[in-house]
Amino acid sequence: MFEDLLRRWEGEEAVIHYEAESDAWMFVCVHSTALGPGGGGTRLRVYPTPADGLADAMRLSGAMTLKMAAAGLPRGGAKAVLAVPELPTGHARRRLLLRYGDLVESLGGTYRTAGDMNISPADLDVVAERCRWVYGTSAGGGNSARGTALGTLHAIRATAEHALGTSDLAGRTVLVQGAGAVGADLVRLLLADDANVLVADVDDSRAATTGATVIPVGDVIGTECDVYSPCAVGGILNVDTIPRLRCRAIAGCANNQLAEPEDADRLHAAGILYAPDYVANAGGVLQLVGLEDLDWSEEELEQHLAEIGDTLRQLFRESADHGVTPDAAAARLAAERVAAGRATAWS
Ligand code: NAI
């Protein structure tokens, strides 16, 4: 029920619009503007019920607050969901996206969007016909995969430094799960670092084109490696897989790698260093917000991507000093930044 969800949610504002013509629900959830306007992608999906779509937008918007804060961006967290009876195509899709553009424009920049599941740069081009607050359009450079891949490389180097005593990846074995937009680019960067790269993808041909050593998807969890880099799906670190991992550290770009919060404790107890996913994969938002909204140069972007490594070094130190998981240290860092930002006005 919408009422229960809205009462329980600790976010700032949920905007709900129902489009009778297409039977589509639009949910824009602005979780926090303490650090700046709320940023986060738009997800187009079929949900069992509209309330499931609203719940997803609420949950994801909270995660964006953590990601933006941990990345040090002057942006809050938000997310939008377009919950549809079936994925629209052609004219119906265009009409829905234009109407959605009107909705986001009406919020005056409090919510700034980009792509997410089932929303491509071409879709964002349509939204941008009606709305100023759109990033990741074709004109703006499209996909954020290159920033995410480079940021993840910095995360892997920092994680190796703490777990293995060196950030030099030459001769180290890194297992990349998923050779998609980010994973394939990451493999290329790792090979340039002279790492011994293993790669697995449900699409074998994708894995093969990376030039790394291909391993079967079913072997990912039990394969020995120095760093395991999940770059495909969420929930892969769980009560079943963690005891079977044969890696020293984990740093990858996939969202929501932990199936449940307790998995951070399980990894800690197993002596596996875990780079919190939303810290490691912040390169995408740094690229989109930095280049398209904050007018950074490419050099400034590169500097901020490298800071992902610095943030992780700080979190690993805090984790070691205070006996907490890196995940808990990251949550605390983000919460402190949000609390500090709450008093500061933005425009
Ligand atoms: P993508 O869809 O281009 O690539 C995912 C790849 O994983 C595909 O090649 C797919 O065949 C493969 N795959 C799916 N299930 C698999 C499995 N069980 N084992 C092995 N391979 C599997 O996605 P993209 O853009 O590369 O993103 C990867 C992950 O990173 C996703 O979780 C995404 O949410 C996350 N992410 C991506 C960002 C971006 O800028 N693209 C930013 C932040 C997070």
Side-chain angles (χ1 to χ4, degrees), residues 144-145 148 177-182 200-202 206 217 231-233 253-255 281:
S144 58
T148 308
Q177 180 184 27
V182 181
D201 196 295
V202 285
R206 258 188 214 173
V217 168
C231 295
V233 288
C253 74
N255 278 314
N281 71 18

Side-chain angles (χ1 to χ4, degrees), residues 79-157:
K79 200 85 183 181
V81 158
L82 306 181
V84 287
E86 60 183 320
L87 293 182
T89 56
H91 185 61
R93 188 177 185 99
R94 179 175 164 75
R95 204 176 47 219
L96 181 76
L97 293 170
L98 288 174
R99 182 65 196 88
Y100 174 61
D102 288 337
L103 178 66
V104 176
E105 180 63 29
S106 76
L107 303 178
T110 304
Y111 171 58
R112 305 185 180 192
T113 192
D116 194 83
M117 201 179 280
N118 296 317
I119 293 288
S120 67
D123 291 324
L124 294 172
D125 292 347
V126 179
V127 179
E129 287 180 34
R130 294 287 176 83
C131 172
R132 284 167 287 171
W133 318 105
V134 188
Y135 308 104
T137 60
S138 319
N143 201 301
S144 58
R146 75 179 172 99
T148 308
L150 189 50
T152 306
L153 177 70
H154 286 296
I156 291 173
R157 287 184 184 150

Side-chain angles (χ1 to χ4, degrees), residues 31 125 176 232 238 300 333:
H31 178 264
D125 292 347
V176 179
N238 56 53
E300 284 172 300
L333 172 74

Side-chain angles (χ1 to χ4, degrees), residues 263-278:
D263 293 318
D265 302 309
R266 293 187 180 107
L267 289 167
H268 202 56
I272 297 172
L273 186 67
Y274 171 64
D277 48 12
Y278 61 87

Side-chain angles (χ1 to χ4, degrees), residues 27-344:
F27 302 110
V28 178
C29 292
V30 178
H31 178 264
S32 170
T33 56
L35 291 169
T42 300
R43 177 169 288 195
L44 175 69
R45 246 194 83 176
V46 178
Y47 290 88
T49 69
D52 291 311
L54 175 60
D56 208 20
M58 287 175 163
R59 182 180 61 81
L60 294 164
S61 69
M64 286 308 298
T65 298
L66 288 177
K67 185 182 289 201
M68 295 291 196
L73 280 165
R75 289 290 172 269
K79 200 85 183 181
V81 158
L82 306 181
V84 287
E86 60 183 320
L87 293 182
T89 56
H91 185 61
R93 188 177 185 99
R94 179 175 164 75
R95 204 176 47 219
L96 181 76
L97 293 170
L98 288 174
R99 182 65 196 88
Y100 174 61
D102 288 337
L103 178 66
V104 176
E105 180 63 29
S106 76
L107 303 178
T110 304
Y111 171 58
R112 305 185 180 192
T113 192
D116 194 83
M117 201 179 280
N118 296 317
I119 293 288
S120 67
D123 291 324
L124 294 172
D125 292 347
V126 179
V127 179
E129 287 180 34
R130 294 287 176 83
C131 172
R132 284 167 287 171
W133 318 105
V134 188
Y135 308 104
T137 60
S138 319
N143 201 301
S144 58
R146 75 179 172 99
T148 308
L150 189 50
T152 306
L153 177 70
H154 286 296
I156 291 173
R157 287 184 184 150
T159 307
E161 187 177 312
H162 196 85
L164 313 172
T166 174
S167 60
D168 183 359
L169 299 175
R172 299 293 180 172
T173 301
V174 182
L175 193 170
V176 179
Q177 180 184 27
V182 181
D185 213 16
L186 177 63
V187 169
R188 187 180 55 75
L189 295 169
L190 289 165
L191 290 172
D193 263 9
D194 290 326
N196 171 34
V197 187
L198 308 178
V199 64
D201 196 295
V202 285
D203 182 341
D204 269 341
S205 62
R206 258 188 214 173
T209 54
T210 62
T213 306
V214 179
I215 65 163
V217 168
D219 288 356
V220 165
I221 297 305
T223 295
E224 190 161 349
C225 57
D226 292 304
V227 182
Y228 165 37
S229 185
C231 295
V233 288
I236 27 77
L237 303 175
N238 56 53
V239 70
D240 294 325
T241 58
I242 291 170
R244 294 188 285 126
L245 288 170
R246 293 180 66 203
C247 59
R248 305 272 295 279
I250 299 172
C253 74
N255 278 314
N256 306 317
Q257 293 170 29
L258 304 175
E260 53 181 355
E262 292 75 17
D263 293 318
D265 302 309
R266 293 187 180 107
L267 289 167
H268 202 56
I272 297 172
L273 186 67
Y274 171 64
D277 48 12
Y278 61 87
V279 181
N281 71 18
V285 290
L286 285 166
Q287 179 191 322
L288 292 181
V289 176
L291 293 184
E292 298 186 36
D293 203 13
L294 299 174
D295 291 328
W296 289 351
S297 63
E298 282 290 335
E299 290 71 29
E300 284 172 300
L301 172 62
E302 293 216 355
Q303 191 184 322
H304 286 280
L305 292 173
E307 284 167 9
I308 288 177
D310 299 336
T311 302
L312 284 170
R313 286 183 191 93
Q314 178 191 335
L315 296 176
F316 294 148
R317 266 196 310 275
E318 276 180 33
S319 163
D321 290 350
H322 302 296
V324 296
T325 66
D327 205 48
R332 192 165 71 180
L333 172 74
E336 281 169 5
R337 287 183 175 167
V338 169
R342 213 162 261 143
T344 314

